[in-house]
Amino acid sequence: MRREEQLRFLTETLLDEMPAYRGEARRLGDDAESRRYLLRCLMNVREPRALSPRFRAEQDALLSAEREARGVVRVADLPGIPSDGRLVLWQGDITRLDADAIVNAANSQLLGCFRPGHNCIDNVIHSAAGLQLREECAALMRAQGHEEPTGRAKLTGGYNLPAKHVLHTVGPIIEGAVTAEDRALLASCYRACLDLAAEKGLRSVAFCCISTGVFRFPKEEAARIAVSTVRDWLKTGDMERVVFCVHGDENRRIYQTLLV
């Protein structure tokens, strides 16, 4: 099936499920770019439930082709920092990394971001992985029976990501001044992800900058906590590669200063 046909089939299937969005769909236009944006938005707002085999196959074919077009980045080929080759600083799209697990800065519902087209890391990861990721997260949350506490970690499959798995962790939300509890909870996010990855036998983890987006943790302080926590963990923990994946030049400069 050609890409244009895939997009039409996928968007029309979701619009049949969610007819309330047909008016918005008509306003977006019918070219391939508009259809692709519409598909992402519909995937973002769709509640977790089973997918038909055909939808799953066509979605996976589309997302796999897009993954290859973006280019998969081999974590093993990235240069480590001079003081510790296990630590890597990389600026770019975390959904391109073939780490055993990439870290998602999740919300307490753990279902992904429901804001259509939003560019938070939660939305980006779920959009690239496919709707199966939301299904698996929903199953985990049903089994748990309550919202995900801050500072812990859950592991899911990576689906259409190059990463084998996704580690989901809920960072602290900053409302005013950063407190000692906020700092402890952010450090716990990093430890919990590494502990769970090691428990499952994973050998490489790529972290996003947890809590520094819509959760408003100051970037420099968050980076100091991230680097010091990971370094402390590596004194006794076993991991071949830990990647600090940063977005934007400001974050890259902050981490470069710390990773000396």
Side-chain angles (χ1 to χ4, degrees), residues 43-56:
M43 289 170 67
N44 295 159
V45 299
R46 184 183 187 268
E47 295 291 336
R49 55 182 175 272
L51 301 165
S52 72
R54 185 184 174 193
F55 184 96
R56 186 185 298 256

Side-chain angles (χ1 to χ4, degrees), residues 63-78 90 92-100 102 128 158-164 204:
L63 295 180
S64 296
E66 291 178 344
R67 177 190 67 222
E68 298 308 311
R70 287 194 301 273
V72 175
V73 175
R74 285 176 48 82
V75 165
D77 294 340
L78 296 175
W90 188 74
D93 178 359
I94 200 170
T95 68
R96 295 179 61 201
L97 294 174
D98 75 345
D100 284 349
I102 61 172
Y159 300 99
N160 292 291
L161 295 164
K164 298 180 183 70
S204 60

Side-chain angles (χ1 to χ4, degrees), residues 14-86:
L14 294 182
L15 286 169
D16 286 344
E17 285 187 6
M18 301 177 286
Y21 291 97
R22 283 201 173 274
E24 289 295 324
R26 282 192 291 270
R27 283 190 282 274
L28 280 176
D30 199 36
D31 58 283
E33 184 177 347
S34 297
R35 279 272 173 184
R36 183 61 187 90
Y37 179 69
L38 173 63
L39 175 61
R40 175 172 173 175
C41 291
L42 292 171
M43 289 170 67
N44 295 159
V45 299
R46 184 183 187 268
E47 295 291 336
R49 55 182 175 272
L51 301 165
S52 72
R54 185 184 174 193
F55 184 96
R56 186 185 298 256
E58 296 299 344
Q59 174 211 244
D60 290 354
L62 177 72
L63 295 180
S64 296
E66 291 178 344
R67 177 190 67 222
E68 298 308 311
R70 287 194 301 273
V72 175
V73 175
R74 285 176 48 82
V75 165
D77 294 340
L78 296 175
I81 66 169
S83 61
D84 188 341
R86 295 172 296 178

Side-chain angles (χ1 to χ4, degrees), residues 88-130:
V88 175
L89 174 60
W90 188 74
Q91 180 179 352
D93 178 359
I94 200 170
T95 68
R96 295 179 61 201
L97 294 174
D98 75 345
D100 284 349
I102 61 172
V103 174
N104 177 32
N107 56 48
S108 60
Q109 287 75 41
L110 219 71
L111 298 180
C113 171
F114 279 81
R115 287 177 60 186
H118 192 226
N119 265 336
C120 68
I121 192 68
D122 199 10
N123 193 305
V124 168
I125 289 174
H126 273 265
S127 296

Side-chain angles (χ1 to χ4, degrees), residues 2 42 80 90 97 107 111-112 123 127 140 156 159 171-172 196 203 205-206 256 259-260:
R2 293 183 300 108
L42 292 171
W90 188 74
L97 294 174
N107 56 48
L111 298 180
N123 193 305
S127 296
L140 287 174
T156 66
Y159 300 99
L196 184 54
R203 306 303 298 147
V205 173
Q256 280 177 330
L259 290 169
V260 292

Side-chain angles (χ1 to χ4, degrees), residues 114-222:
F114 279 81
R115 287 177 60 186
H118 192 226
N119 265 336
C120 68
I121 192 68
D122 199 10
N123 193 305
V124 168
I125 289 174
H126 273 265
S127 296
L131 287 171
Q132 299 98 312
L133 182 56
R134 182 168 281 172
E135 280 188 76
E136 185 177 359
C137 287
L140 287 174
M141 296 306 284
R142 284 194 298 270
Q144 179 165 281
H146 56 80
E147 291 189 349
E148 181 71 359
T150 303
R152 300 188 189 176
K154 289 281 193 299
L155 186 73
T156 66
Y159 300 99
N160 292 291
L161 295 164
K164 298 180 183 70
H165 300 280
V166 179
L167 284 157
H168 306 262
T169 189
V170 181
I173 300 172
I174 306 303
E175 301 293 351
V178 178
T179 66
E181 182 182 11
D182 294 328
R183 297 182 186 98
L185 287 169
L186 184 59
S188 179
C189 290
Y190 286 89
R191 282 194 301 271
C193 287
L194 290 168
D195 286 344
L196 184 54
E199 176 189 327
K200 299 298 183 181
L202 308 187
R203 306 303 298 147
S204 60
V205 173
F207 283 101
C208 62
C209 300
I210 301 167
S211 276
T212 60
V214 295
F215 284 11
R216 300 180 297 278
F217 208 112
K219 293 177 181 179
E220 290 195 28
E221 187 167 9

